[in-house]
Amino acid sequence: MTATADTDWQAWQESWDRQQEWYMPDREERFRIMLDMVEAFAGPEPRVLDLACGTGSITARLLARFPGAVSTGVDLDPALLTIARGTFAGDDRVTLVEADLTDPGWPARLPHDTYDAVLTATALHWLRTDALDALYGRVADLVRYGGVFLNADHMIDDTTPRINAAESTLRRTRMDQAMRDGALDWAEWWALAAEDPVLAAPTARRFEIYGAHADGDMPSAAWHARTLRARGFGEARPVWCSPSDTLLLALK
């Protein structure tokens, strides 16, 4: 079934946000700092590539803060893209592209050759490091000189196992309490999507593509910075972090 005019896309966006916040209570702070850095390097009317855009969480916040911005969202997930298409229908500032980021040819499907900023959040840990290394090379080709790439994601520093264990225990305790208070986890959110008459078919296709769980890696922020510099960025370092997540900026 295709999207219908009476589907409440904003409700699905908010539901996705709440589910994501169960894992990342500081999610909005990450987005705020991300857009601060976009403004610092590209001004208030940037051309942005929303990489692995999902429902368009970054794009929605980008356009709310910078109405003169334009965004290209690229993703392979048919269910999340359905929500994105419904959300941004009729908005000529937004172009949505269905593409596999592990396919070397995906940049040819984009409407622009270069971008002021490439942004992504909580997505690239689905990739193995060899695929991520190759992706970073393609991203470097898409960022104009003086432009930025920003990746907010889980970046695990395995040199600090006791710190990691203590942080993980506390975070899990708080997540368990939030679930008792009614929060949905990832699996429960997808179960609801699978029951929705508009999202059921794209959700089924989504699980055919990805399976039930990520099969990627979570290298450290140092690995990301080192790899991005090797792939053509001049500078790279974290600009924000929480006990479990990092927002890393690479400057072309």
Side-chain angles (χ1 to χ4, degrees):
M1 183 179 295
T2 57
T4 59
D6 58 355
T7 300
D8 190 344
W9 298 115
Q10 188 56 41
W12 278 108
Q13 289 281 1
E14 292 173 0
S15 175
W16 178 259
D17 284 343
R18 300 294 83 75
Q19 178 261 129
Q20 290 287 285
E21 287 167 359
W22 183 68
Y23 297 95
M24 296 163 289
D26 299 316
R27 185 168 178 257
E28 291 301 327
E29 179 71 2
R30 295 193 316 171
F31 287 141
R32 183 183 70 80
I33 299 299
M34 177 181 282
L35 295 181
D36 281 351
M37 295 299 98
V38 172
E39 183 176 11
F41 288 96
E45 296 185 355
R47 178 192 292 171
V48 169
L49 176 60
D50 186 351
L51 195 68
C53 65
T55 67
S57 298
I58 291 174
T59 291
R61 288 157 179 80
L62 173 78
L63 298 179
R65 178 161 166 175
F66 306 122
V70 295
S71 179
T72 302
V74 58
D75 207 301
L76 186 62
D77 188 312
L80 299 185
L81 279 174
T82 296
I83 296 173
R85 291 187 184 107
T87 300
F88 300 108
D91 191 333
D92 60 10
R93 297 171 297 176
V94 180
T95 303
L96 295 169
V97 176
E98 185 171 349
D100 183 349
L101 295 180
T102 65
D103 176 357
W106 69 266
R109 306 190 65 180
L110 302 178
H112 306 289
D113 293 332
T114 61
Y115 290 85
D116 300 312
V118 177
L119 312 178
T120 189
T122 324
L124 300 190
H125 64 267
W126 282 76
L127 299 178
R128 293 289 189 185
T129 51
D130 56 348
L132 186 55
D133 185 4
L135 176 65
Y136 278 172
R138 295 178 192 114
V139 168
D141 290 339
L142 289 167
V143 177
R144 64 161 174 80
Y145 180 78
V148 292
F149 169 66
L150 286 147
N151 179 15
D153 210 342
H154 311 303
M155 298 184 187
I156 305 300
D157 185 345
D158 58 12
T159 69
T160 60
R162 290 189 296 158
I163 295 173
N164 298 349
E167 183 279 325
S168 179
T169 297
L170 177 61
R171 177 161 42 91
R172 175 53 61 181
T173 298
R174 290 176 173 173
M175 290 169 70
D176 289 345
Q177 182 58 54
M179 182 167 283
R180 289 193 290 271
D181 293 338
L184 295 179
D185 68 8
W186 188 88
E188 290 170 324
W189 189 91
W190 280 109
L192 288 178
E195 296 172 357
D196 183 83
V198 172
L199 294 176
T203 295
R205 293 198 302 274
R206 181 244 182 258
F207 280 95
E208 290 174 0
I209 294 168
Y210 291 107
H213 300 285
D215 190 33
D217 296 321
M218 295 184 191
S220 68
W223 181 93
H224 287 273
R226 182 172 64 250
T227 302
L228 286 161
R229 287 192 294 267
R231 284 298 192 169
F233 287 91
E235 301 176 12
R237 72 166 176 87
V239 292
W240 175 92
C241 69
S242 74
S244 60
D245 284 16
T246 296
L247 172 61
L248 192 136
L249 183 151
L251 174 64
K252 186 71 176 288

